[in-house]
Amino acid sequence: MSEAEEQRWVTVMLDKLAAQESKRMLGDSELAQRAEQLSDQYLNGRARPSAVRWVTNQNTRWGSCTPAEGSIRLSHRLQGMPEYVIDYVLVHELAHLLVPGHGPRFWELLEAYPRTERARGYLEGVVSADRLPHLPAARHE
Ligand SMILES: [Zn+2]
């Protein structure tokens, strides 16, 4: 492959990746819809968020919420992660609208979501990978 061909190939592959990523990425309104579905499915519809949106200023937490306002924010770092992981973070924040803190009552609610353990393992893995600077997979942005 010549350098020009290689460059063209790289551009094509990057475009493909970006297209896949944006297909997988939910917009804010889809995110709110998703949260409503998850609340219905796993929390008997009791959690009713007023707003659900992505934020880019949240690098140490995956999600956060303000129960008084009923608002939920998800870190943009979740974008591109498997759907079940994003769903877990949504269910987690939805549950916080009902129960503050991480006591037994909170985790009881989370048990309704069947992939809680798996999603938590995935996120722990991401955090660990971030701490291993010699791995190329740990590099981002
Ligand atoms: Zn929490």
Side-chain angles (χ1 to χ4, degrees):
M1 239 192 265
S2 75
E3 209 175 302
E5 273 171 344
E6 191 182 312
Q7 193 53 51
R8 206 169 60 86
W9 184 80
V10 167
T11 308
V12 168
M13 290 313 283
L14 286 177
D15 281 354
K16 255 191 198 161
L17 275 177
Q20 275 173 9
E21 201 127 302
S22 67
K23 216 188 290 164
R24 251 184 305 157
M25 209 161 81
L26 304 168
D28 280 348
S29 65
E30 287 156 313
L31 202 58
Q33 230 174 352
R34 186 96 198 131
E36 203 170 304
Q37 278 171 9
L38 291 167
S39 175
D40 284 346
Q41 202 170 346
Y42 300 113
L43 301 167
N44 301 315
R46 286 188 297 140
R48 285 273 161 247
S50 58
V52 186
R53 61 193 174 87
W54 294 108
V55 290
T56 54
N57 61 354
Q58 206 163 264
N59 290 314
T60 56
R61 288 190 297 176
W62 300 113
S64 66
C65 70
T66 309
E69 295 169 9
S71 60
I72 289 173
R73 294 162 299 278
L74 294 198
S75 168
H76 74 295
R77 292 180 64 211
L78 291 165
Q79 287 170 359
M81 287 190 194
E83 220 163 70
Y84 75 89
V85 175
I86 296 176
D87 283 355
Y88 160 72
V89 178
L90 277 172
V91 174
H92 185 116
E93 297 309 324
L94 285 165
H96 274 316
L97 296 183
L98 307 172
V99 180
H102 298 111
R105 275 190 61 226
F106 176 81
W107 290 114
E108 234 166 76
L109 285 180
L110 266 285
E111 273 169 25
Y113 180 65
R115 290 172 124 178
T116 289
E117 276 310 307
R118 190 172 166 190
R120 291 183 73 199
Y122 182 99
L123 292 171
E124 276 170 21
V126 171
V127 171
S128 292
D130 274 349
R131 293 188 185 137
L132 301 171
H134 57 285
L135 287 178
R139 253 190 291 141
H140 62 270
E141 276 156 302

